[in-house]
Amino acid sequence: MSPLLTHLTNLEDATSRFPSRVAFKIPQQFLLDIEHLARYWFHVLKESNGIPQSLRGYKYIDVVHVYAISRAGYIPQLINIFPNADYGVIQGPLEQANTRAFIYEPVYNDTVHDIPQIPCFTSVTVVHPNDYPLPDLPHVTGSDIAIIYQTSGTTSGKSNIVPCNYAWLDGCVRKMTRACSDSGKVDIVSWRGSTGYMAQFRALIGIIYRTSCMVQYKSGWPSTSEIVDIINRCQTKQLFSHPRLLQGHIRASRTDPETLRALSSVDVITYTGGGLGSDEDEEWAWRNGINLVNAYGLTECGELLRSEGLRKSRQNYLKRLPGPTLIKFIPISNDSDLLELVVPPEAPECPHVSFRSSDGNYHTNDLFREVEPGSYVFCGRNDDWFNMLICKLCDTKAIEDNARSLCGDIISDCVVVGNGRLSPVLVVEACSPLSHSTVSPALNESELKTEIYHRIRLSTPLAIHTNVSLLWI
């Protein structure tokens, strides 16, 4: 049986293959920094087990901390909270994981003061060489826990900890390395997000395997000017972005030739976490050579689907990842074309048994339509759909996305309600002021309702053909 692959074995393999390549564009050696910090924390923590870390996750030293805690033989638990949060925000995850110690950035001082009976340590800001012993890696089995992450709560309705065992991590590393082509060139890749999130952890596995170089943002929400700067200054060829951020960059490129040149020079711009919300933005990107790739994944499973990119297909449909896969698309009912993505227990992506249903499968509750053989479009979550009074399904996400796309200059956001009612109700929050809209800023409530309805009435996809009521908040 081949040995289990982990994020640490992946790094050691990449270092042995290309020891002189740059991992981060800063003057430190990544692997040596991890080992030095692992020695330090092994000396400090002694007999602790699960080690939660509350780090904002956007600095080089944050990545080193995650890897160093693993290398020291402990189980890192990544917790994302805002500064000065109450202890109650993290009490559940800490108790669920039977925490033995807590490492935190100084910005979380107020939170740490309220943590009872857990040794707390300030994170290290600079790695110093030391003579402390580096322990051997512990002998592990596939069922042993390797790392613990925290969900955003979109799947279950509340934030949960996700214990990832070594079998899951082995499957993650194999999938990421299988998806990486060895082109022989050194790609410059942008930061994906906070190290405290699974998406960045997984992305880093692929980046390390390819021995690519990662460029870090100044913060988690880079401006368009910062994006343009890292593309031009660092010759960045792969970007990761959140849909709402990416939408802003694309819209900026319509009026700024420098932004357009920068975005179109990138090989791939990958976005996850939902759609762009506007077909017009994607059309602009396609016509101007901006290669957008849509990826679908979950904290519990990792990435499961990915599009081929606008340079290969204008439709940009989601497809299964290359290589063998066991994920399934199961109809939600006999009279519906909606398919739920389900991960069976034998799939390497299937999360911890505590997340599986009574049938043994992991139900994502995410719905898709197969528009071509092997090609899918995301149709929202199970709870994005509700039954109308006449027992027809209403796609609330489609209504909301359409309203945001067509009325973005006059509404800030919206939500659809009306389960069990005769017709759905669209609740909108109006922009204030309306000075940047294409209509008069002096519109009263009634006139604004009429304007919104006029825009969406012909193109709003409803499961039943009825009027959409509009409420004002």
Side-chain angles (χ1 to χ4, degrees), residues 206-290:
I207 290 165
I208 289 173
Y209 178 80
R210 292 194 304 268
T211 61
S212 298
C213 176
M214 176 166 283
V215 179
Q216 293 173 277
Y217 299 134
K218 295 177 182 176
S219 70
W221 297 91
S223 64
T224 298
S225 60
E226 184 180 353
I227 291 293
V228 172
D229 183 53
I230 71 163
I231 293 173
N232 294 336
R233 187 195 302 259
C234 304
Q235 292 79 53
T236 305
K237 290 302 180 183
Q238 294 189 45
L239 282 177
F240 296 99
S241 185
H242 187 275
R244 290 297 175 89
L245 277 175
L246 179 58
Q247 188 177 58
H249 305 327
I250 292 173
R251 291 181 177 179
S253 74
R254 296 187 184 188
T255 56
D256 180 24
E258 179 63 20
T259 299
L260 178 57
R261 279 194 296 271
L263 295 181
S264 59
S265 72
V266 175
D267 291 341
V268 176
I269 302 178
T270 302
Y271 65 94
T272 59
L276 283 181
S278 171
D279 290 337
E280 187 178 334
D281 291 327
E282 190 165 285
E283 179 73 15
W284 168 264
W286 174 67
R287 291 188 180 279
N288 289 275
I290 302 174

Coordinates of all heavy atoms in Angstrom, one line a residue, residues 206-290:
G206 N -1.8 22.5 -4.5 CA -1.5 22.5 -6.0 C -0.4 23.4 -6.4 O 0.5 23.1 -7.2
I207 N -0.4 24.6 -5.8 CA 0.7 25.6 -6.1 C 2.1 25.1 -5.7 O 3.0 25.2 -6.4 CB 0.3 26.9 -5.4 CG1 -0.9 27.6 -6.0 CG2 1.5 27.9 -5.4 CD1 -1.5 28.7 -5.2
I208 N 2.1 24.5 -4.5 CA 3.4 23.9 -4.0 C 3.8 22.8 -4.9 O 5.0 22.7 -5.3 CB 3.3 23.5 -2.6 CG1 3.2 24.7 -1.6 CG2 4.5 22.6 -2.2 CD1 2.9 24.3 -0.2
Y209 N 2.9 21.9 -5.3 CA 3.3 20.8 -6.2 C 3.9 21.3 -7.5 O 4.8 20.7 -8.0 CB 2.0 19.9 -6.4 CG 2.3 18.7 -7.4 CD1 2.9 17.6 -6.9 CD2 2.0 18.8 -8.7 CE1 3.2 16.5 -7.7 CE2 2.3 17.7 -9.6 CZ 2.9 16.6 -9.0 OH 3.2 15.5 -9.9
R210 N 3.3 22.3 -8.1 CA 3.8 22.9 -9.3 C 5.0 23.7 -9.1 O 5.6 24.2 -10.1 CB 2.7 23.7 -10.0 CG 1.5 23.0 -10.5 CD 0.7 23.9 -11.4 NE 0.3 25.2 -10.8 CZ -0.8 25.4 -10.2 NH1 -1.7 24.4 -10.1 NH2 -1.1 26.5 -9.7
T211 N 5.4 23.9 -7.9 CA 6.5 24.8 -7.5 C 6.2 26.2 -8.1 O 7.2 26.8 -8.6 CB 7.9 24.3 -7.8 OG1 8.0 24.1 -9.2 CG2 8.1 23.0 -7.1
S212 N 5.0 26.6 -8.1 CA 4.7 28.0 -8.5 C 5.0 29.0 -7.4 O 5.3 28.6 -6.3 CB 3.2 28.0 -8.9 OG 2.8 27.2 -9.9
C213 N 4.9 30.2 -7.8 CA 5.2 31.3 -6.8 C 3.9 32.0 -6.5 O 3.1 32.4 -7.4 CB 6.2 32.3 -7.4 SG 6.6 33.7 -6.3
M214 N 3.7 32.2 -5.2 CA 2.4 32.9 -4.8 C 2.6 34.3 -4.4 O 3.6 34.7 -3.7 CB 1.8 32.1 -3.6 CG 0.6 32.7 -3.0 SD -0.3 31.6 -1.9 CE -1.1 30.5 -3.0
V215 N 1.7 35.1 -4.9 CA 1.7 36.6 -4.6 C 0.6 36.8 -3.6 O -0.6 36.5 -3.9 CB 1.6 37.4 -5.8 CG1 1.6 38.9 -5.5 CG2 2.7 37.1 -6.8
Q216 N 0.9 37.5 -2.5 CA -0.2 37.7 -1.5 C -0.8 39.1 -1.6 O -0.1 40.1 -1.9 CB 0.4 37.6 -0.1 CG 0.9 36.2 0.2 CD 1.6 36.1 1.6 OE1 2.8 36.3 1.6 NE2 0.9 35.7 2.6
Y217 N -2.1 39.2 -1.4 CA -2.8 40.5 -1.3 C -2.4 41.2 0.0 O -2.0 40.6 1.0 CB -4.3 40.3 -1.4 CG -4.8 39.6 -2.7 CD1 -5.7 38.6 -2.6 CD2 -4.3 40.0 -3.9 CE1 -6.2 38.0 -3.8 CE2 -4.8 39.4 -5.1 CZ -5.7 38.4 -5.0 OH -6.2 37.8 -6.2
K218 N -2.7 42.5 0.0 CA -2.5 43.3 1.2 C -3.6 42.9 2.2 O -3.5 43.1 3.4 CB -2.5 44.8 0.9 CG -1.3 45.2 0.1 CD -1.5 46.7 -0.3 CE -0.3 47.2 -1.2 NZ -0.5 48.6 -1.6
S219 N -4.8 42.6 1.7 CA -5.9 42.2 2.5 C -6.8 41.2 1.8 O -6.5 40.8 0.7 CB -6.8 43.5 2.9 OG -7.5 43.9 1.7
G220 N -7.9 40.8 2.5 CA -8.7 39.8 1.9 C -9.6 40.3 0.8 O -10.2 39.6 0.0
W221 N -9.7 41.7 0.6 CA -10.6 42.3 -0.4 C -9.8 43.2 -1.2 O -9.9 44.5 -1.1 CB -11.8 43.0 0.3 CG -12.6 42.0 1.1 CD1 -12.5 41.6 2.4 CD2 -13.7 41.2 0.6 NE1 -13.4 40.7 2.7 CE2 -14.2 40.4 1.6 CE3 -14.3 41.1 -0.7 CZ2 -15.2 39.5 1.5 CZ3 -15.4 40.2 -0.8 CH2 -15.8 39.5 0.2
P222 N -9.0 42.7 -2.1 CA -8.1 43.6 -2.9 C -8.9 44.5 -3.9 O -9.9 44.1 -4.5 CB -7.2 42.6 -3.7 CG -8.0 41.4 -3.8 CD -8.8 41.3 -2.5
S223 N -8.5 45.8 -4.0 CA -9.1 46.7 -4.9 C -8.7 46.3 -6.3 O -7.7 45.6 -6.6 CB -8.7 48.1 -4.6 OG -7.3 48.3 -4.8
T224 N -9.4 46.9 -7.3 CA -9.0 46.7 -8.7 C -7.6 47.2 -9.0 O -6.9 46.6 -9.7 CB -10.0 47.4 -9.6 OG1 -11.3 46.9 -9.4 CG2 -9.7 47.2 -11.1
S225 N -7.2 48.3 -8.4 CA -5.9 48.9 -8.6 C -4.8 47.9 -8.1 O -3.8 47.8 -8.7 CB -5.8 50.3 -8.0 OG -6.0 50.2 -6.6
E226 N -5.1 47.3 -7.0 CA -4.1 46.3 -6.4 C -4.0 45.1 -7.3 O -2.9 44.5 -7.5 CB -4.5 45.9 -5.0 CG -3.5 44.9 -4.4 CD -3.8 44.5 -3.0 OE1 -4.8 45.0 -2.4 OE2 -3.1 43.6 -2.4
I227 N -5.1 44.6 -7.9 CA -5.1 43.5 -8.8 C -4.3 43.8 -10.0 O -3.5 43.0 -10.4 CB -6.6 43.1 -9.2 CG1 -7.3 42.5 -8.0 CG2 -6.6 42.1 -10.4 CD1 -6.8 41.2 -7.5
V228 N -4.5 45.0 -10.6 CA -3.8 45.4 -11.8 C -2.3 45.5 -11.4 O -1.4 45.1 -12.2 CB -4.3 46.7 -12.3 CG1 -3.4 47.3 -13.4 CG2 -5.7 46.6 -12.8
D229 N -2.0 46.0 -10.2 CA -0.6 46.1 -9.8 C 0.1 44.8 -9.7 O 1.3 44.6 -10.2 CB -0.5 46.9 -8.5 CG 0.9 47.1 -8.0 OD1 1.7 47.7 -8.8 OD2 1.3 46.7 -6.9
I230 N -0.5 43.8 -9.1 CA 0.2 42.5 -8.9 C 0.3 41.7 -10.3 O 1.2 40.9 -10.5 CB -0.5 41.6 -7.9 CG1 -1.9 41.0 -8.4 CG2 -0.6 42.2 -6.5 CD1 -2.4 39.9 -7.5
I231 N -0.7 42.0 -11.2 CA -0.5 41.4 -12.5 C 0.7 42.0 -13.3 O 1.5 41.3 -13.8 CB -1.8 41.6 -13.3 CG1 -3.0 40.8 -12.7 CG2 -1.6 41.2 -14.8 CD1 -4.3 41.1 -13.4
N232 N 0.8 43.3 -13.2 CA 1.8 44.0 -14.0 C 3.2 43.8 -13.3 O 4.2 43.6 -13.9 CB 1.5 45.5 -14.1 CG 0.3 45.7 -15.0 OD1 -0.1 44.9 -15.9 ND2 -0.4 46.8 -14.8
R233 N 3.2 44.0 -12.0 CA 4.5 44.0 -11.3 C 5.1 42.6 -11.2 O 6.3 42.4 -11.2 CB 4.3 44.6 -9.9 CG 5.6 44.8 -9.1 CD 5.3 45.0 -7.6 NE 4.4 46.2 -7.4 CZ 4.9 47.4 -7.0 NH1 6.2 47.6 -6.8 NH2 4.0 48.4 -6.8
C234 N 4.2 41.6 -10.9 CA 4.7 40.2 -10.7 C 4.5 39.3 -11.8 O 4.8 38.1 -11.7 CB 4.0 39.7 -9.4 SG 4.2 40.7 -8.0
Q235 N 3.9 39.8 -12.9 CA 3.6 38.9 -14.1 C 2.7 37.7 -13.7 O 2.9 36.6 -14.1 CB 4.9 38.4 -14.8 CG 5.7 39.5 -15.5 CD 6.6 40.3 -14.6 OE1 7.3 39.7 -13.8 NE2 6.4 41.6 -14.6
T236 N 1.7 38.0 -12.9 CA 0.8 37.0 -12.3 C 0.0 36.4 -13.5 O -0.5 37.2 -14.3 CB -0.1 37.6 -11.3 OG1 0.6 38.3 -10.3 CG2 -1.0 36.6 -10.7
K237 N 0.0 35.1 -13.5 CA -0.7 34.4 -14.6 C -2.0 33.7 -14.2 O -2.8 33.2 -15.0 CB 0.2 33.4 -15.3 CG 1.3 34.1 -16.1 CD 0.8 35.0 -17.2 CE 1.8 35.7 -18.0 NZ 1.2 36.7 -19.0
Q238 N -2.2 33.5 -12.9 CA -3.4 32.9 -12.4 C -3.9 33.7 -11.2 O -3.2 34.0 -10.3 CB -3.1 31.5 -11.9 CG -2.7 30.5 -13.0 CD -2.7 29.1 -12.6 OE1 -3.6 28.6 -11.9 NE2 -1.6 28.4 -13.0
L239 N -5.2 34.1 -11.3 CA -5.9 34.8 -10.3 C -7.0 34.0 -9.7 O -7.7 33.3 -10.4 CB -6.4 36.1 -10.8 CG -5.5 37.3 -11.1 CD1 -6.3 38.4 -11.7 CD2 -4.9 37.8 -9.8
F240 N -7.2 34.2 -8.4 CA -8.4 33.6 -7.7 C -9.2 34.8 -7.2 O -8.6 35.8 -6.6 CB -8.0 32.7 -6.6 CG -7.3 31.5 -7.0 CD1 -5.9 31.4 -6.9 CD2 -8.0 30.4 -7.5 CE1 -5.2 30.3 -7.3 CE2 -7.3 29.2 -7.9 CZ -5.9 29.2 -7.8
S241 N -10.5 34.7 -7.2 CA -11.3 35.8 -6.8 C -12.7 35.4 -6.3 O -13.2 34.3 -6.8 CB -11.5 36.9 -7.9 OG -12.2 38.0 -7.4
H242 N -13.3 36.2 -5.4 CA -14.7 36.0 -5.1 C -15.6 36.6 -6.2 O -15.2 37.6 -6.7 CB -15.0 36.6 -3.7 CG -16.3 36.4 -3.2 ND1 -17.5 37.1 -3.6 CD2 -16.8 35.4 -2.3 CE1 -18.5 36.6 -2.9 NE2 -18.2 35.6 -2.2
P243 N -16.7 36.0 -6.5 CA -17.6 36.5 -7.6 C -17.9 38.0 -7.5 O -17.8 38.7 -8.5 CB -18.8 35.7 -7.5 CG -18.4 34.4 -6.9 CD -17.3 34.8 -5.9
R244 N -18.3 38.5 -6.3 CA -18.6 39.9 -6.2 C -17.4 40.8 -6.4 O -17.6 41.9 -7.0 CB -19.2 40.2 -4.8 CG -20.6 39.5 -4.6 CD -21.6 40.1 -5.5 NE -22.9 39.5 -5.5 CZ -23.9 39.8 -4.6 NH1 -23.7 40.9 -3.8 NH2 -25.0 39.2 -4.6
L245 N -16.2 40.4 -5.9 CA -15.0 41.2 -6.2 C -14.7 41.2 -7.7 O -14.4 42.2 -8.3 CB -13.9 40.6 -5.4 CG -13.7 41.1 -3.9 CD1 -12.5 40.3 -3.3 CD2 -13.4 42.5 -3.9
L246 N -14.8 40.0 -8.3 CA -14.5 39.9 -9.7 C -15.4 40.7 -10.5 O -15.0 41.3 -11.5 CB -14.5 38.4 -10.1 CG -14.2 38.1 -11.6 CD1 -12.8 38.6 -12.0 CD2 -14.3 36.5 -11.8
Q247 N -16.7 40.7 -10.2 CA -17.6 41.5 -10.9 C -17.2 43.0 -10.9 O -17.3 43.7 -12.0 CB -19.0 41.4 -10.3 CG -20.1 42.0 -11.1 CD -21.5 41.7 -10.4 OE1 -21.7 42.1 -9.2 NE2 -22.4 41.1 -11.1
G248 N -16.7 43.5 -9.8 CA -16.2 44.9 -9.8 C -15.0 45.1 -10.7 O -14.9 46.1 -11.3
H249 N -14.1 44.1 -10.7 CA -12.9 44.3 -11.6 C -13.3 44.3 -13.0 O -12.8 45.1 -13.8 CB -11.9 43.1 -11.3 CG -11.5 43.0 -9.9 ND1 -11.4 44.1 -9.0 CD2 -11.2 41.9 -9.1 CE1 -11.0 43.7 -7.8 NE2 -10.9 42.3 -7.9
I250 N -14.3 43.4 -13.4 CA -14.7 43.3 -14.8 C -15.4 44.6 -15.2 O -15.2 45.1 -16.3 CB -15.6 42.1 -15.0 CG1 -14.8 40.8 -14.8 CG2 -16.3 42.1 -16.4 CD1 -15.7 39.6 -14.9
R251 N -16.2 45.1 -14.3 CA -16.9 46.4 -14.7 C -16.0 47.5 -14.8 O -16.2 48.4 -15.6 CB -18.0 46.6 -13.6 CG -19.2 45.6 -13.8 CD -20.3 45.8 -12.8 NE -21.3 44.9 -13.0 CZ -22.5 44.8 -12.3 NH1 -22.7 45.6 -11.3 NH2 -23.4 43.8 -12.6
A252 N -14.9 47.5 -14.0 CA -13.9 48.6 -14.1 C -13.2 48.5 -15.4 O -12.8 49.5 -16.0 CB -12.9 48.4 -12.9
S253 N -13.0 47.3 -15.9 CA -12.3 47.1 -17.2 C -13.1 47.7 -18.4 O -12.5 47.9 -19.5 CB -12.0 45.6 -17.5 OG -13.2 44.9 -17.8
R254 N -14.4 47.9 -18.2 CA -15.1 48.5 -19.3 C -14.8 49.9 -19.6 O -14.9 50.4 -20.8 CB -16.6 48.4 -19.0 CG -17.2 47.0 -18.9 CD -18.7 47.0 -18.7 NE -19.2 45.7 -18.5 CZ -20.5 45.4 -18.4 NH1 -21.4 46.4 -18.6 NH2 -20.9 44.2 -18.2
T255 N -14.3 50.6 -18.6 CA -14.0 52.0 -18.8 C -12.5 52.3 -18.6 O -12.1 53.5 -18.9 CB -14.8 52.9 -17.7 OG1 -14.5 52.4 -16.4 CG2 -16.3 52.8 -18.0
D256 N -11.7 51.4 -18.2 CA -10.3 51.6 -17.9 C -9.5 50.6 -18.8 O -9.4 49.4 -18.5 CB -10.0 51.4 -16.5 CG -8.5 51.6 -16.2 OD1 -7.8 52.3 -17.0 OD2 -8.0 51.1 -15.2
P257 N -8.9 51.1 -19.9 CA -8.1 50.2 -20.8 C -7.0 49.5 -20.1 O -6.7 48.3 -20.4 CB -7.6 51.2 -21.8 CG -8.5 52.3 -21.8 CD -8.9 52.5 -20.4
E258 N -6.3 50.1 -19.0 CA -5.3 49.4 -18.3 C -5.8 48.2 -17.6 O -5.1 47.2 -17.5 CB -4.6 50.4 -17.4 CG -3.4 49.8 -16.5 CD -2.3 49.3 -17.4 OE1 -2.1 49.8 -18.5 OE2 -1.5 48.5 -16.9
T259 N -6.9 48.3 -16.9 CA -7.5 47.2 -16.2 C -7.9 46.1 -17.2 O -7.6 44.9 -16.9 CB -8.8 47.6 -15.5 OG1 -8.4 48.6 -14.5 CG2 -9.4 46.5 -14.7
L260 N -8.4 46.4 -18.4 CA -8.8 45.5 -19.4 C -7.5 44.7 -19.9 O -7.5 43.5 -20.0 CB -9.5 46.1 -20.5 CG -9.9 45.2 -21.7 CD1 -10.8 44.1 -21.2 CD2 -10.6 46.0 -22.8
R261 N -6.5 45.5 -20.1 CA -5.2 44.8 -20.6 C -4.7 43.9 -19.6 O -4.2 42.8 -19.9 CB -4.2 45.9 -20.9 CG -4.3 46.6 -22.3 CD -3.0 47.4 -22.6 NE -2.8 48.5 -21.7 CZ -3.3 49.7 -21.8 NH1 -4.1 50.0 -22.9 NH2 -3.0 50.6 -21.0
A262 N -4.7 44.3 -18.3 CA -4.2 43.4 -17.2 C -5.0 42.1 -17.1 O -4.5 41.0 -17.1 CB -4.2 44.2 -15.9
L263 N -6.4 42.2 -17.0 CA -7.2 41.1 -16.8 C -7.1 40.1 -18.0 O -7.1 38.9 -17.9 CB -8.7 41.5 -16.6 CG -9.0 42.3 -15.3 CD1 -10.4 42.6 -15.2 CD2 -8.5 41.5 -14.1
S264 N -7.0 40.6 -19.2 CA -7.0 39.8 -20.4 C -5.6 39.1 -20.6 O -5.4 38.2 -21.4 CB -7.4 40.6 -21.7 OG -6.5 41.7 -21.9
S265 N -4.6 39.6 -19.9 CA -3.2 39.0 -20.0 C -3.1 37.8 -19.1 O -2.1 37.1 -19.3 CB -2.2 40.1 -19.6 OG -2.2 40.4 -18.2
V266 N -4.0 37.6 -18.2 CA -3.9 36.5 -17.2 C -4.4 35.2 -17.9 O -5.3 35.2 -18.7 CB -4.8 36.8 -16.0 CG1 -4.8 35.6 -15.0 CG2 -4.2 38.0 -15.3
D267 N -3.7 34.1 -17.6 CA -4.0 32.8 -18.2 C -5.4 32.4 -17.8 O -6.3 31.9 -18.5 CB -3.0 31.8 -17.9 CG -1.7 32.0 -18.6 OD1 -1.6 32.8 -19.6 OD2 -0.7 31.4 -18.2
V268 N -5.6 32.4 -16.4 CA -6.9 31.9 -15.9 C -7.3 32.8 -14.7 O -6.4 33.2 -13.9 CB -6.7 30.5 -15.3 CG1 -7.9 30.0 -14.6 CG2 -6.3 29.5 -16.5
I269 N -8.5 33.2 -14.6 CA -9.1 33.9 -13.5 C -10.2 32.9 -12.9 O -11.3 32.8 -13.5 CB -9.7 35.2 -13.8 CG1 -8.6 36.1 -14.4 CG2 -10.3 35.9 -12.5 CD1 -9.1 37.5 -14.8
T270 N -9.9 32.3 -11.8 CA -10.9 31.3 -11.2 C -11.7 32.0 -10.1 O -11.1 32.7 -9.3 CB -10.1 30.1 -10.6 OG1 -9.3 29.5 -11.6 CG2 -11.1 29.1 -10.0
Y271 N -13.0 31.8 -10.2 CA -13.9 32.3 -9.1 C -14.7 31.2 -8.5 O -15.1 30.3 -9.2 CB -14.7 33.5 -9.6 CG -15.8 33.1 -10.7 CD1 -17.1 32.8 -10.3 CD2 -15.4 33.1 -12.0 CE1 -18.0 32.5 -11.3 CE2 -16.4 32.8 -13.0 CZ -17.7 32.5 -12.6 OH -18.6 32.2 -13.6
T272 N -14.9 31.3 -7.2 CA -15.7 30.3 -6.5 C -16.7 31.0 -5.6 O -16.5 32.1 -5.3 CB -14.8 29.3 -5.7 OG1 -14.1 30.1 -4.8 CG2 -13.9 28.5 -6.6
G273 N -17.7 30.2 -5.1 CA -18.6 30.8 -4.1 C -19.8 31.4 -4.7 O -20.5 32.2 -4.1
G274 N -20.2 31.0 -5.9 CA -21.4 31.5 -6.6 C -21.1 32.0 -8.0 O -20.0 32.0 -8.4
G275 N -22.2 32.4 -8.6 CA -22.1 33.0 -10.0 C -21.7 34.5 -10.0 O -21.8 35.1 -8.9
L276 N -21.4 35.0 -11.1 CA -21.1 36.4 -11.2 C -22.4 37.3 -11.0 O -22.3 38.4 -10.7 CB -20.5 36.7 -12.6 CG -19.1 36.4 -12.8 CD1 -18.7 36.8 -14.2 CD2 -18.2 37.0 -11.8
G277 N -23.5 36.7 -11.3 CA -24.8 37.4 -11.0 C -25.2 38.2 -12.2 O -26.2 38.9 -12.2
S278 N -24.4 38.2 -13.3 CA -24.7 39.0 -14.5 C -24.2 38.4 -15.7 O -23.0 38.2 -15.9 CB -24.2 40.4 -14.4 OG -24.3 41.2 -15.6
D279 N -25.1 38.0 -16.6 CA -24.6 37.4 -17.9 C -23.9 38.5 -18.7 O -23.0 38.2 -19.5 CB -25.8 36.9 -18.7 CG -26.4 35.6 -18.1 OD1 -25.7 34.9 -17.4 OD2 -27.6 35.4 -18.3
E280 N -24.2 39.7 -18.5 CA -23.6 40.8 -19.3 C -22.1 40.9 -19.0 O -21.3 41.2 -19.8 CB -24.3 42.1 -18.9 CG -23.9 43.3 -19.8 CD -24.6 44.6 -19.5 OE1 -25.8 44.5 -19.0 OE2 -24.1 45.7 -19.7
D281 N -21.8 40.7 -17.7 CA -20.4 40.7 -17.3 C -19.6 39.6 -17.9 O -18.5 39.8 -18.4 CB -20.2 40.7 -15.8 CG -20.7 42.0 -15.1 OD1 -20.6 43.0 -15.7 OD2 -21.3 41.9 -14.0
E282 N -20.2 38.4 -17.9 CA -19.5 37.3 -18.5 C -19.4 37.4 -20.1 O -18.4 37.0 -20.7 CB -20.3 36.0 -18.2 CG -19.5 34.7 -18.6 CD -20.1 33.5 -18.0 OE1 -19.8 33.3 -16.7 OE2 -20.7 32.7 -18.7
E283 N -20.4 38.0 -20.7 CA -20.3 38.3 -22.1 C -19.2 39.2 -22.4 O -18.5 39.1 -23.4 CB -21.7 38.9 -22.6 CG -21.7 39.2 -24.0 CD -21.8 38.0 -25.0 OE1 -22.1 36.9 -24.5 OE2 -21.6 38.2 -26.2
W284 N -19.1 40.3 -21.6 CA -18.0 41.3 -21.8 C -16.6 40.6 -21.7 O -15.7 40.8 -22.5 CB -18.1 42.4 -20.8 CG -16.9 43.3 -20.7 CD1 -15.9 43.2 -19.8 CD2 -16.6 44.4 -21.6 NE1 -14.9 44.1 -20.1 CE2 -15.3 44.9 -21.1 CE3 -17.2 45.0 -22.7 CZ2 -14.7 46.0 -21.8 CZ3 -16.6 46.1 -23.3 CH2 -15.4 46.5 -22.8
A285 N -16.5 39.7 -20.7 CA -15.2 39.0 -20.4 C -14.9 38.1 -21.6 O -13.8 38.1 -22.1 CB -15.3 38.2 -19.2
W286 N -15.9 37.4 -22.1 CA -15.7 36.5 -23.3 C -15.3 37.3 -24.5 O -14.3 36.9 -25.2 CB -17.0 35.7 -23.6 CG -16.9 34.9 -24.8 CD1 -16.2 33.8 -25.0 CD2 -17.7 35.1 -26.0 NE1 -16.4 33.3 -26.3 CE2 -17.3 34.1 -26.9 CE3 -18.6 36.0 -26.4 CZ2 -17.8 34.0 -28.2 CZ3 -19.2 35.9 -27.7 CH2 -18.8 34.9 -28.6
R287 N -15.9 38.4 -24.8 CA -15.6 39.2 -26.0 C -14.3 39.9 -25.9 O -13.7 40.2 -27.0 CB -16.7 40.2 -26.2 CG -18.1 39.7 -26.7 CD -19.0 40.7 -27.1 NE -20.3 40.2 -27.5 CZ -20.6 39.7 -28.7 NH1 -19.6 39.7 -29.6 NH2 -21.8 39.2 -28.9
N288 N -13.8 40.0 -24.7 CA -12.5 40.8 -24.6 C -11.4 39.9 -24.1 O -10.3 40.4 -23.6 CB -12.7 41.9 -23.6 CG -13.5 43.0 -24.2 OD1 -13.0 43.9 -24.9 ND2 -14.9 43.0 -24.0
G289 N -11.5 38.6 -24.2 CA -10.4 37.7 -23.9 C -10.1 37.5 -22.5 O -8.9 37.1 -22.1
I290 N -11.0 37.8 -21.5 CA -10.7 37.5 -20.1 C -11.2 36.1 -19.8 O -12.4 35.8 -19.9 CB -11.5 38.5 -19.2 CG1 -11.1 40.0 -19.6 CG2 -11.2 38.3 -17.8 CD1 -11.9 41.0 -18.9

